[in-house]
Amino acid sequence: MKIYPIETGNIKLDGGAMFGVVPKSIWQRTNPADANNMIDLTMRCLLIEDGNRLMLIDTGIGNKQSEKFFGYFNLSGDFSLDSSLAKLGFHRDQITDVFLTHLHFDHCGGAIEWNKDKTGYLPAFKNAVYWSNKEHWQWATVPNPREKASFLKENILPIQESGQLQFVDLKGQNFISNSELNFGILSVDGHTEKQMIPHIQYKGKTIVFAADLLPTVGHLPLPYVMGYDTRPLLTMNEKSLFLNEAADKEFILFLEHDAHNELCTVKQTEKGVRLQNSYTFNEVFS
């Protein structure tokens, strides 16, 4: 097995929305804001080469939305999903599996693209199986008013229409070991219903793709919960359980949205679980 970080581009989001009730005077110490109160975030995905399978975890925001839509998020960066794959010698047509932690547009937008004449949509990975779960799929396709703007039908429905969609069976459990995908999956409900957090065994270590359970290093303190979360008190409980386990078992956390830190480890302190070290991917897995 080989694992590679895949940069798909950077965005900016409102810092207050990213940190909920935490005052700006505190959160800006780790996530400084610009004049418009926007903070830098990335949409970092993970590529797993495992035998004959090439699996991509999340896909970034994609490129099919309108200029007005993208203007809300200040897209930037000299890289894209395709250029990042090409740098490693891969092409999107080689992807066999696309695992979607959840279906918010910044995580799954790159899963679907325009057809040639822009009259409809096609899977961006024509040879891949797309993985979600039944509970989250139902949540996303019949969205609540709060999340409706994050669940864009053009990102979601074409996956099912293509016939390439499969569901992970979560078996009603918080954590499963999925032999077909060859990694463990933690399901959490605070951010959105049944977000899936992959736990991957790699070179004697456990890498956890933290997705929106832990967007950045700045979100380590338990009360630092995004305003986007549908159940913030549940997020705090899920973070507490997860971070304590991460500290005790020395997990390496892969940060999807942290523009400055690819990986980190955490430790127990008198104030709770806090940052131990942050690393680039190559520093740990050269």
Side-chain angles (χ1 to χ4, degrees), residues 242-251 265-268 273-274 276:
F242 169 70
L243 290 175
N244 277 287
E245 183 179 19
D248 294 343
K249 296 184 178 179
E250 300 180 340
F251 291 168
T265 54
V266 294
K267 63 182 179 181
Q268 300 282 0
V273 177
R274 293 292 187 270
Q276 183 176 43

Side-chain angles (χ1 to χ4, degrees), residues 170 173-175 185-189 194-197 238:
L170 297 177
Q173 301 176 17
N174 292 330
F175 187 89
I185 300 170
L186 173 69
S187 64
V188 288
D189 300 313
K194 296 296 178 288
Q195 178 185 196
M196 298 189 291
I197 307 296
E238 290 171 340

Side-chain angles (χ1 to χ4, degrees), residues 197 199 206-210 214 217 220 242-243 245-247 250-256 261-266 273 277 279:
I197 307 296
H199 287 51
T206 300
I207 300 178
V208 180
F209 188 91
L214 185 73
V217 163
L220 280 169
F242 169 70
L243 290 175
E245 183 179 19
E250 300 180 340
F251 291 168
I252 295 178
L253 309 184
F254 183 95
L255 301 170
E256 185 168 12
N261 303 284
E262 286 185 326
L263 305 176
C264 76
T265 54
V266 294
V273 177
N277 288 300
Y279 310 91

Side-chain angles (χ1 to χ4, degrees), residues 219-237:
H219 288 84
L220 280 169
L222 292 184
Y224 292 35
V225 173
M226 290 189 289
Y228 301 111
D229 287 16
T230 59
R231 307 177 182 107
L233 294 179
L234 182 55
T235 292
M236 288 177 63
N237 183 59

